Amino acid sequence: MSSQVQEVIVDGTNMILGRLASRVAKLLLQGSRVYVVNVEKIVVSGRRNMVVQSYKRTVLGVKSHYSHRWRPKRPRSPVRLFKAAVWGMLPKNNRGIRALKRLRAYIGVPEEFRNREFTRFPEADASRLSRPGVTLAVIARELGWRGAV
């Protein structure tokens, strides 16, 4: 890896979750530091009630009959939902862990990125969808996230 780490700032507005996560995972594995802004505006394709029910089943449906002091932490914020999608596309070894540490995701646009150029992936644009989509902010609200958008 070169001494100069490439930084990529991606705008997640109206981008499809899976396609964006796969592109970000590839950049991370190449050694780039990736910043994703406007994570709450990333789109998951499908009807709202079907997508929300699917997330509720996978995120909230896992129950435990023992040890209630320790329980799995399920992602509920848009940032953690996005990072979970990227983690699913990385190898589950030290290389994948190091790659995930180079990812930063933000709700909105932080002050340090206001006047910077954002990268967009045309193949991940939600305008290509033939059906409606649901934003991560809506999914997160339905899962119990109480953060501000």
Side-chain angles (χ1 to χ4, degrees):
M1 190 162 74
S2 65
S3 61
Q4 180 65 23
V5 176
Q6 180 186 5
E7 289 187 349
V8 180
I9 304 170
V10 180
D11 184 12
T13 305
N14 286 332
M15 301 283 253
I16 302 169
L17 175 65
R19 292 174 189 249
L20 178 63
S22 66
R23 292 300 305 260
V24 167
K26 284 181 184 180
L27 288 171
L28 291 170
L29 289 173
Q30 292 170 358
S32 299
R33 182 172 298 278
V34 180
Y35 301 96
V36 182
V37 297
N38 291 323
V39 173
E40 75 281 2
K41 297 177 184 174
I42 294 175
V43 175
V44 178
S45 65
R47 292 193 319 260
R48 177 182 173 172
N49 59 349
M50 298 297 287
V51 172
V52 169
Q53 287 303 317
S54 173
Y55 269 89
K56 281 185 176 181
R57 208 173 21 256
T58 57
V59 173
L60 301 178
V62 179
K63 301 289 183 191
S64 172
H65 292 286
Y66 61 92
S67 185
H68 293 287
R69 284 179 286 152
W70 179 90
R71 65 184 188 279
K73 302 298 188 279
R74 306 295 180 193
R76 291 173 192 230
S77 75
V79 170
R80 293 200 50 204
L81 289 168
F82 176 71
K83 283 188 172 186
V86 173
W87 172 241
M89 298 186 185
L90 290 171
K92 307 304 183 276
N93 54 24
N94 286 335
R95 183 173 176 234
I97 292 169
R98 284 195 309 268
L100 192 64
K101 287 181 180 178
R102 289 191 295 270
L103 173 65
R104 296 285 182 263
Y106 300 98
I107 294 173
V109 181
E111 190 62 40
E112 64 217 47
F113 300 129
R114 290 251 190 246
N115 298 323
R116 304 274 299 269
E117 186 71 27
F118 296 141
T119 304
R120 301 230 358 126
F121 302 116
E123 65 274 4
D125 196 37
S127 64
R128 298 181 56 191
L129 292 176
S130 60
R131 59 177 43 192
V134 183
T135 62
L136 281 184
V138 172
I139 296 170
R141 289 265 183 238
E142 292 287 332
L143 293 177
W145 178 63
R146 292 186 289 269
V149 174

